[in-house]
Amino acid sequence: MLYHQLSDTLAPLTSTPRQVVLALSGGLDSRVLLALLTQYRDQHPQHDYLVVHVHHGLHPDADKWAELCQMWADNAGFRCRVERVSLDTSLSVEHAARQARYQAIAHLLKPNGLVLTAQHSDDQVETFFLALKRGSGLEGLAGMPAVRALGQGYLVRPFLTLSRASLEAYARQHQLDWVDDPSNQDTRFDRNFLRQHWLPQADARWPGFRKAVERTQRLCGEQASLLARLIEPMVTQAETEAGSLAITALPQNDLALTQAMLRHWLKRHSITLTQAQLQTLLFDVINAKPDANPSLSVGTVSIRRFQQQLYIVLPYADLSQWQGTLTPETPLALPDGLGTLYLLPYSSTEKGLALGDLASRALHVHFNPRGLSIHPAGRQGRRKLKKLYQEAGIPSWLRRRQPIICDGETVVAIADRYVSQAASGKQWRLVWQHES
């Protein structure tokens, strides 16, 4: 029965050869999955198999557990890697360990690869109550999906409909050894408290209780899926080619629909907000004063409003001290993924900002607009760079990512947008080749 569950789960995902990675903690559940995957591999040798043990370093026996996992994988004929990780101390131990595990494994994942983990139905029930404690919506209450995206591939949980008791029965029948992590008994952790105290009492009082929870999770999952399908075309229509979201497309008189659209758009970018954060986004960012420059920080990214658009802004390097030299027909690589600048002979059929015969053949490039101005070609008078950036509709967070080209101390061009009156002509063309 257990093998068929694994085989049936993998069947629609393995029509062509691909990487299959087993996350082996050494506990009962993953040991059973290792035994079943050994049988599966013998029948499906076309795939690229790998066993990964993540060494968190949280327990004195962690080295011993890693050695056992290596031995079990070797005995089964699998390649095995032990990945040592450091935890983010700003998070809870549970959250930090989980995050580190998935990051370590995702780093090893090839395109369309599969990562197998051994969570079972008991874990799923516990997840429901942890989500309920946090005040989660439909998607959170639906629990862990059997398949979800992870890095370049997918995370697959073939045991979600199986109980821990069935896995333990299999392990004992096949005389498997496994690791017993004593931290699983520590009821300071919420999941262990549910497992050791709350859920056994609920089971004793209400027979069939877990089945009812599983049914509720299925219903929540179905309704969350239906809502996502209804919201998807609305968000697609509201999203621009640049990935920003048009605030004017949000229904002003339907708060619930607005929140659903925002959550769906953010999920596209792997961002999840708490209810408090969502309220901050609505009232302090979207509805901020017109002349404000509002933003909401979420982890390492920020959500910003500019000209009635919402943008997701990744962290950028400080380029204020960077300097480069641009010479004719020699590419200049710009920092922080900003692409390449070229100064090429003029051509009326090729793209680029037309420049004349410059006094200096070596141009100075930097990104700091403070105090600088330029007399744009074809216009009256000089303009501060800040005013030109505003005029061009460049968001505030991108203004110090526009390359400024100078001849000595004089600004002759800004990115691929403006050329000075004195530097205009048809001898050279300035090309900014963006990486994205």
Side-chain angles (χ1 to χ4, degrees), residues 206-278:
W206 300 302
F209 167 73
R210 290 177 185 256
K211 292 297 181 184
V213 171
E214 292 171 7
R215 184 167 60 251
T216 297
Q217 287 183 303
R218 284 196 300 273
L219 291 172
C220 287
E222 291 170 4
Q223 292 168 23
S225 177
L226 175 60
L227 178 62
R229 291 201 301 272
L230 294 173
I231 294 294
E232 173 69 21
M234 300 180 191
V235 174
T236 297
Q237 188 173 8
E239 193 171 40
T240 69
E241 290 185 4
S244 62
L245 188 75
I247 292 175
T248 53
L250 299 174
Q252 302 300 311
N253 58 349
D254 192 333
L255 180 60
L257 183 55
T258 292
Q259 292 184 130
M261 289 180 66
L262 288 171
R263 288 191 185 280
H264 192 88
W265 173 65
L266 292 168
K267 186 180 178 183
R268 286 184 173 185
H269 299 275
S270 302
I271 298 173
T272 302
L273 298 187
T274 65
Q275 186 62 26
Q277 288 173 323
L278 185 60

Side-chain angles (χ1 to χ4, degrees), residues 322-333:
W322 188 90
Q323 298 183 23
T325 301
L326 179 64
T327 55
E329 302 186 67
T330 302
L332 173 62

Side-chain angles (χ1 to χ4, degrees), residues 123-295:
D123 296 320
Q124 190 75 299
V125 170
E126 294 160 8
T127 298
F128 175 85
F129 286 102
L130 292 172
L132 189 65
K133 179 182 75 71
R134 293 192 300 268
S136 299
L138 287 174
E139 191 169 346
L141 295 176
M144 298 175 284
V147 181
R148 73 163 175 86
L150 177 66
Q152 302 184 85
Y154 300 92
L155 177 67
V156 184
R157 301 180 174 103
F159 288 170
L160 284 182
T161 60
L162 303 175
S163 68
R164 186 185 189 282
S166 67
L167 300 183
E168 184 171 354
Y170 178 94
R172 297 197 183 283
Q173 178 184 354
H174 292 81
Q175 299 181 328
L176 299 179
D177 297 322
W178 63 84
V179 168
D180 278 318
D181 185 346
S183 69
N184 290 333
Q185 306 302 316
D186 188 346
T187 55
R188 290 177 299 174
F189 300 121
D190 290 342
R191 186 177 289 275
N192 292 341
F193 172 78
L194 285 169
R195 185 179 302 160
Q196 302 297 331
H197 296 297
W198 201 89
L199 287 173
Q201 293 183 46
D203 288 332
R205 184 176 180 88
W206 300 302
F209 167 73
R210 290 177 185 256
K211 292 297 181 184
V213 171
E214 292 171 7
R215 184 167 60 251
T216 297
Q217 287 183 303
R218 284 196 300 273
L219 291 172
C220 287
E222 291 170 4
Q223 292 168 23
S225 177
L226 175 60
L227 178 62
R229 291 201 301 272
L230 294 173
I231 294 294
E232 173 69 21
M234 300 180 191
V235 174
T236 297
Q237 188 173 8
E239 193 171 40
T240 69
E241 290 185 4
S244 62
L245 188 75
I247 292 175
T248 53
L250 299 174
Q252 302 300 311
N253 58 349
D254 192 333
L255 180 60
L257 183 55
T258 292
Q259 292 184 130
M261 289 180 66
L262 288 171
R263 288 191 185 280
H264 192 88
W265 173 65
L266 292 168
K267 186 180 178 183
R268 286 184 173 185
H269 299 275
S270 302
I271 298 173
T272 302
L273 298 187
T274 65
Q275 186 62 26
Q277 288 173 323
L278 185 60
Q279 295 304 305
T280 299
L281 177 61
L282 281 167
F283 297 110
D284 295 348
V285 178
I286 293 175
N287 292 319
K289 293 180 180 180
D291 60 346
N293 184 23
S295 69

Side-chain angles (χ1 to χ4, degrees), residues 57-65 182:
L58 293 174
H59 191 273
D61 289 333
D63 289 338
K64 178 182 177 182
W65 297 343

